[in-house]
Amino acid sequence: MMAEELAASVAGLRAWARGSYAEEAAVELLARAFGGRFASSSWPWVRPCDRSGWFWLDPGGIWAGAGMLSGGERRLLNVVGALVGGQPLSDLGGTLAGLDRRNLELILAAFAHPGGSHKEVLLIITDGEPSFQRVGPVVDWPPAVDRMAS
């Protein structure tokens, strides 16, 4: 897989997901986990859109095509599928318990994103004067550890 192809897939997925917090979270999870390799258009769940250069995530492709992967990879992809497809995770405790720290951090950030906490602002009134302060996400995306995560 060429780095340029992967970067194009991630950019196309991000363009497709923009504006839907759950889909944004799913795409970021794919782009940041496992070096971003599961965001490549070579996987059956990354499908081309009618719009040139865009891709979309097919949750059915995730559930059908992830069987040959490791347990941790399948757990993470099940979360991606749940975020995009709206299907509940059947064993959330088992999913989270079977992850390494890095992927657990990514999933926690992905769970926080659809709630919109990254856009939350507080109204603060000091001496009768209102002001606003961004508070940031409940759980922020961890720092990038590779090129695809940025």
Side-chain angles (χ1 to χ4, degrees), residues 54 60 70 88 132 143:
W54 286 29
S70 75
F132 298 93

Side-chain angles (χ1 to χ4, degrees), residues 72-88:
E73 292 166 335
R74 285 193 314 271
R75 285 177 179 92
L76 188 126
L77 288 169
N78 281 335
V79 171
V80 170
L83 286 165
V84 172
Q87 297 294 322

Side-chain angles (χ1 to χ4, degrees), residues 104-131:
L104 179 59
E105 287 177 321
L106 289 170
I107 286 176
L108 293 174
F111 283 163
H113 193 82
S117 70
H118 62 289
K119 297 287 186 174
E120 190 173 342
V121 294
L122 293 177
L123 170 62
I124 301 170
I125 300 177
T126 307
D127 296 327
E129 294 295 319
S131 64

Side-chain angles (χ1 to χ4, degrees), residues 22-117:
E23 290 170 355
E24 287 174 356
V27 168
E28 286 307 309
L29 191 50
L30 274 184
R32 292 167 181 264
F34 303 107
R37 71 177 177 267
F38 295 122
S40 167
S41 60
S42 64
W43 291 100
W45 49 82
V46 178
R47 309 282 300 268
C49 286
D50 291 338
R51 191 166 186 171
S52 179
W54 286 29
F55 295 91
W56 63 281
L57 289 177
D58 177 6
I62 291 172
W63 295 311
M68 74 290 205
L69 301 173
S70 75
E73 292 166 335
R74 285 193 314 271
R75 285 177 179 92
L76 188 126
L77 288 169
N78 281 335
V79 171
V80 170
L83 286 165
V84 172
Q87 297 294 322
L89 290 168
S90 61
D91 181 14
L92 181 58
T95 295
L96 298 177
L99 295 169
D100 62 21
R101 184 179 183 88
R102 168 76 179 158
N103 288 316
L104 179 59
E105 287 177 321
L106 289 170
I107 286 176
L108 293 174
F111 283 163
H113 193 82
S117 70

